[in-house]
Amino acid sequence: MAAQASSKFQGWLGKSPDSANGKMEWGEYEPKKWTEDDVDIEISHCGICGSDLHTLRSGWRPTPYPCVVGHEIVGKAVRVGSNVKHVRVGDRVGVGAQARTCHQSSCPECGNGNETYCSNERIHTYGSVYPNGEGKSYGGYADYNRTNGNWVFKIPDGLESAIAAPMLCGGITVYSPLRQNGCGPGKTVGIVGVGGLGHFGILFAKALGADKVVGISRKADKRDDALNLGADEYIATDEDKDWPARHARTLDIIISTVSSEKIPLSGYLSLLKTRGTYIQVGIPDGGNLPAINAFILVSKGIKVSGSATGAPWEIREMLQLAADKKIKPWVQERPLKDANQAIVDMENGKARYRYVLANENFGKH
């Protein structure tokens, strides 16, 4: 049990869709009811994710306001439930996009290492309502977070907190589908969207040993960044003439991080080799994607799929790989007090490539 038995939970509250326009309000809130399966974390860093903006504006589904967003959390465990055995008070820990699943061995997902897709109970780190009157989940634009211990991860010593934080959603969202689809030696990989998620895609595809990694974006202005991140080639779909034909059948795996229903999907699919796989991880508001012509699928035997974040074992594996390989995402730290301006800058595409909020009050509570 922690030396600190209770904490004052305060954070940036989104109270309406307009909060996505830099109008969150700092205030106190009541976290979920404490159980001995939980961990309380004093937050030092929290990455800003595109999901935060979708949720603040109720873009994916109605948000249960008030809501504190942020699911790339790193900090210090200050209270640890008696049922949690892998974390101790004082440990540096992190939380990603999920806060609880059923965790039952009889569950088809939880019992087989696919907890991310649990159909019995899937509580997100923010914006979810717990069953049985336990309360709501609140995220990391705050001083403290309370999360089920199964989704709290020790941060390896080799990773700085500001580096580790955005890996807990942005990193794992691309690491998992790369890992699950055999990224490694002998594979060529395309990453659509060179941004917060996409730059992680390039970094992890190279770290996993892919023979060739291709950055794909609309404009040529990110070409140099993609190459500096480790990409071997770059395609600017708005500017490179006849790119679908010129690069046809060159990629084994494509990860699309773009959240738009206007993507040139048929063009992307033309880049796949026979039996290649396209995985969509970006989710536009409303969830719609362009129609797919069946002939595109059957002519090369390609697969089109999707992926969410990642299971606990994948997150631990990813963090250790990042520490071992000294992976350095491109992050820009912003003060927690400036969160409203930071989300506006994020929406306007100014991040290169991940903003991380640093809590100026960490250690002072």
Side-chain angles (χ1 to χ4, degrees), residues 71-95:
H71 56 202
E72 298 178 340
I73 299 166
V74 171
K76 181 176 69 174
V78 295
R79 187 183 184 189
V80 178
S82 59
N83 296 330
V84 181
K85 305 303 182 184
H86 68 290
V87 172
R88 296 181 179 180
V89 172
D91 284 348
R92 189 167 61 116
V93 295
V95 171

Side-chain angles (χ1 to χ4, degrees), residues 47-326:
I48 296 179
C49 181
S51 304
D52 304 344
L53 299 171
H54 288 290
T55 300
L56 285 172
R57 62 174 173 252
S58 288
W60 287 338
R61 62 186 69 86
T63 296
Y65 302 107
C67 178
V68 175
V69 296
H71 56 202
E72 298 178 340
I73 299 166
V74 171
K76 181 176 69 174
V78 295
R79 187 183 184 189
V80 178
S82 59
N83 296 330
V84 181
K85 305 303 182 184
H86 68 290
V87 172
R88 296 181 179 180
V89 172
D91 284 348
R92 189 167 61 116
V93 295
V95 171
Q98 285 183 266
R100 196 167 82 185
T101 56
C102 80
H103 203 63
Q104 298 298 310
S105 60
S106 59
C107 171
E109 291 81 33
C110 293
N112 290 285
N114 289 310
E115 294 95 327
T116 310
Y117 305 100
C118 177
S119 55
N120 294 322
E121 181 178 74
R122 194 184 309 175
I123 301 294
H124 300 288
T125 299
Y126 58 74
S128 286
V129 178
Y130 285 90
N132 305 315
E134 291 182 58
K136 296 198 306 186
S137 60
Y138 292 89
Y141 294 14
D143 287 335
Y144 292 94
N145 172 261
R146 177 172 292 167
T147 293
N148 182 277
N150 290 319
W151 290 91
V152 175
F153 308 98
K154 293 182 70 172
I155 304 299
D157 291 338
L159 286 179
E160 299 173 17
S161 294
I163 295 296
M167 293 184 182
L168 292 164
C169 178
I172 193 61
T173 296
V174 292
Y175 178 82
S176 177
L178 287 169
R179 174 79 158 73
Q180 294 287 346
N181 287 279
C183 177
K187 298 293 185 180
T188 56
V189 178
I191 303 295
V192 178
V194 180
L197 291 178
H199 99 288
F200 272 119
I202 294 172
L203 290 169
F204 279 121
K206 294 299 287 187
L208 289 167
D211 285 358
K212 182 179 180 180
V213 178
V214 180
I216 304 168
S217 196
R218 293 174 54 238
K219 304 293 185 181
D221 60 351
K222 293 183 179 179
R223 185 185 305 272
D224 289 344
D225 285 353
L227 298 178
N228 287 331
L229 284 161
D232 302 286
E233 195 173 329
Y234 184 88
I235 300 171
T237 58
D238 280 0
E239 300 176 17
D240 293 356
K241 186 178 180 181
D242 299 327
W243 61 270
R246 289 175 53 207
H247 300 278
R249 296 178 183 258
T250 58
L251 301 174
D252 297 293
I253 302 166
I254 297 175
I255 308 287
S256 174
T257 70
V258 177
S259 298
S260 171
E261 59 184 56
K262 298 179 180 180
I263 57 175
L265 184 54
S266 294
Y268 296 157
L269 298 180
S270 72
L271 305 181
L272 288 173
K273 298 178 182 178
T274 299
R275 301 293 183 191
T277 303
Y278 172 96
I279 307 102
Q280 183 70 31
V281 301
I283 308 174
D285 285 350
N288 295 316
L289 291 174
I292 299 175
N293 188 298
F295 286 109
I296 296 176
L297 302 180
V298 301
S299 63
K300 294 188 293 182
I302 62 176
K303 298 185 288 292
V304 176
S305 66
S307 182
T309 54
W313 69 268
E314 292 176 300
I315 295 173
R316 288 189 289 268
E317 182 181 271
M318 172 199 67
L319 291 172
Q320 192 59 56
L321 176 72
D324 293 344
K325 296 277 190 176
K326 295 180 170 44

